[in-house]
């Protein structure tokens, strides 16, 4: 967050020429004391920033300073432009304007080689809007209220303090502190049915959950897939988890959440998947298959 704020200060001064500490503090939603600390950090990094006292005084950069002279390599500049292209996919108008300005300042063309779409197929707006609102809540440290579809068909309302958005295993998750549970929780974005950003702000907490908390401490599941299902197997699993058998079938060993999601996932393969272990998961799959048969036999 500090690095982003320092960059905003530099760009603001490049654009305006001069600003007072209270003006910058209001613009960036921090204290005046923080602005002065940021000035010290910029000065230590070699940015020629200074303050003038008096009626017409304020914070300025040396007149000959150009952002292109900052310690950024050509590759680093291109990485910044690429990151902004990705943000623009979330229909963020501010990131598009920033991309244009930085392209001019860096004297580089932002090559249009990347397209990121946060929405699911057939959904052109609400997923992107949800992502943008969550991103804003994380950055501005605003408490949010969500209606969430949990496992087993449960739906509940949670009030949470969002820490960050996490992309893992081809899905987006929200890492947040749950006020009801008084503990850290992970929420899958697709399961957030409704979202309300509250006026209440919060101080950031130090994350104390497990490092790999989006998958948890799951037990290994061993599944044998037929060769006809190979295209889906390589979609869902890393090649290090797959052992190709002499007959072309694929033996997969992976740690997976043993819940209703896993049962439905395995049943979607029909007869192309056979659970080898654990034993109780085999029994659960067989039970669900019998129930499906009873539903459709009449």
């Amino acid at each position: 967050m500090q690095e982003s704020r320092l960059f905003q200060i530099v760009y603001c001064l490049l654009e305006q020429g001069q600003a007072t500490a209270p003006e910058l503090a209001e613009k960036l939603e921090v204290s005046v004391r923080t602005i002065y600390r940021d000035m010290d950090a910029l000065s230590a990094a070699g940015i020629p920033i200074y303050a003038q006292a008096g009626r017409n005084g304020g914070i300025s950069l040396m007149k000959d300073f150009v952002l292109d002279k900052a310690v950024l390599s050509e590759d680093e500049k291109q990485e910044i432009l690429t990151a902004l292209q990705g943000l623009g996919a979330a229909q963020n108008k501010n990131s598009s304007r920033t991309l244009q300005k930085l392209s001019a300042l860096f004297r580089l063309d932002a090559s249009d080689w990347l397209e990121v779409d946060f929405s699911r197929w057939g959904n052109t707006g609400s997923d992107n809007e949800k992502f943008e609102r969550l991103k804003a809540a994380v950055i501005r440290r605003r408490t949010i209220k969500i209606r969430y579809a949990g496992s087993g068909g449960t739906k509940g309302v949670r009030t949470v303090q969002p820490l960050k958005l996490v992309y893992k295993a081809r899905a987006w998750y929200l890492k947040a502190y749950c006020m009801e549970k008084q503990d850290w929780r992970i929420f899958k974005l697709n399961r957030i049915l409704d979202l309300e950003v509250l006026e209440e702000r919060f101080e950031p907490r130090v994350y104390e959950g497990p490092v790999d908390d989006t998958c948890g401490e799951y037990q290994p599941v061993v599944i044998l897939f037929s060769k006809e299902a190979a295209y889906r197997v390589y979609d869902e699993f890393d090649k290090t988890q797959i052992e190709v058998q002499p007959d072309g079938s694929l033996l997969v060993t992976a740690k997976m959440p043993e819940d209703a999601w896993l049962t439905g996932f395995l049943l979607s393969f029909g007869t192309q998947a056979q659970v080898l272990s654990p034993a109780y998961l085999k029994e659960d799959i067989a039970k669900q298959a019998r129930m499906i048969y009873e539903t459709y036999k009449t």
Side-chain angles (χ1 to χ4, degrees):
M1 288 295 294
Q2 185 192 26
E3 290 80 0
S4 174
R5 191 173 64 247
L6 295 177
F7 181 84
Q8 291 180 66
I9 291 174
V10 171
Y11 185 80
C12 181
L13 295 177
L14 283 170
E15 187 177 40
Q16 296 181 206
Q18 180 175 285
T20 65
E23 287 173 346
L24 290 172
E26 181 179 1
K27 184 181 183 69
L28 301 176
E29 298 183 345
V30 295
S31 67
V32 172
R33 181 177 297 180
T34 297
I35 294 297
Y36 284 122
R37 284 201 298 265
D38 289 344
M39 284 184 61
D40 292 337
L42 287 168
S43 181
I47 305 298
I49 188 171
Y50 65 97
Q52 283 184 318
R55 184 175 181 180
N56 297 318
I59 300 171
S60 306
L61 295 168
M62 294 291 289
K63 291 184 179 180
D64 294 333
F65 175 76
V66 179
L67 187 61
D68 194 54
K69 302 296 185 182
V71 187
L72 285 174
S73 68
E74 294 300 307
D75 286 343
E76 288 170 333
K77 294 173 188 175
Q78 194 61 61
E79 286 175 5
I80 291 172
L81 297 179
T82 298
L84 285 171
Q85 280 182 310
L87 288 177
Q91 299 179 349
N92 186 336
K93 295 180 180 178
N94 291 331
S95 67
S96 298
R97 288 195 295 268
T98 306
L99 178 63
Q100 294 174 350
K101 292 177 180 178
L102 285 182
S103 296
L105 284 169
F106 290 161
R107 300 170 189 168
L108 290 174
D109 290 328
S111 301
D112 189 17
W113 67 274
L114 176 68
E115 181 176 346
V116 181
D117 191 342
F118 297 109
S119 65
R120 287 163 285 187
W121 292 108
N123 184 345
T124 58
S126 61
D127 284 338
N128 284 335
E129 180 185 358
K130 182 194 303 181
F131 185 93
E132 186 66 23
R133 293 178 68 195
L134 287 170
K135 184 190 73 174
V138 170
I139 294 173
R140 296 170 185 168
R141 298 173 185 170
R142 297 275 291 274
T143 301
I144 60 175
K145 182 182 290 186
I146 62 174
R147 188 165 67 93
Y148 190 72
S151 60
T154 61
K155 294 179 182 178
V157 176
R158 304 279 190 93
T159 301
V160 302
Q161 297 175 347
L163 174 66
K164 64 174 63 175
L165 291 163
V166 180
Y167 185 77
K168 186 177 180 68
R170 297 186 297 158
W172 281 100
Y173 297 86
L174 174 68
K175 181 184 292 185
Y177 188 83
C178 179
M179 304 306 293
E180 283 77 13
K181 301 296 183 181
Q182 290 292 295
D183 200 1
W184 293 99
R185 290 291 186 270
I186 299 295
F187 302 97
K188 194 169 185 178
L189 261 63
N190 287 347
R191 298 181 188 173
I192 296 178
L193 306 178
D194 296 301
L195 165 67
E196 179 185 0
V197 180
L198 306 178
E199 293 296 327
E200 179 184 350
R201 299 172 67 92
F202 62 91
E203 289 297 320
R205 300 172 182 266
V206 177
Y207 181 69
E208 298 177 347
V211 176
D212 195 12
D213 44 23
T214 54
C215 64
E217 294 298 322
Y218 303 134
Q219 297 301 313
V221 176
V222 182
I223 314 154
L224 183 65
F225 293 94
S226 67
K227 61 183 179 182
E228 288 77 15
Y231 72 101
R232 284 193 62 190
V233 173
Y234 286 110
D235 275 348
E236 302 291 346
F237 300 98
D238 185 80
K239 65 180 182 179
T240 59
Q241 300 171 309
I242 304 169
E243 182 180 345
V244 180
Q245 303 300 294
D247 63 354
S249 60
L250 302 100
L251 186 67
V252 172
T253 303
K255 291 186 176 182
M256 305 177 73
E258 297 167 23
D259 54 16
W261 172 86
L262 179 58
T263 303
F265 171 72
L266 293 173
L267 284 170
S268 71
F269 284 87
T271 58
Q272 294 180 336
Q274 179 185 359
V275 176
L276 302 183
S277 69
Y280 63 84
L281 181 58
K282 294 172 60 177
E283 296 172 1
D284 188 40
I285 294 292
K287 178 181 177 181
Q288 293 294 326
R290 285 193 294 270
M291 292 174 64
I292 292 172
Y293 171 74
E294 292 297 328
T295 300
Y296 287 100
K297 73 174 184 178
T298 56

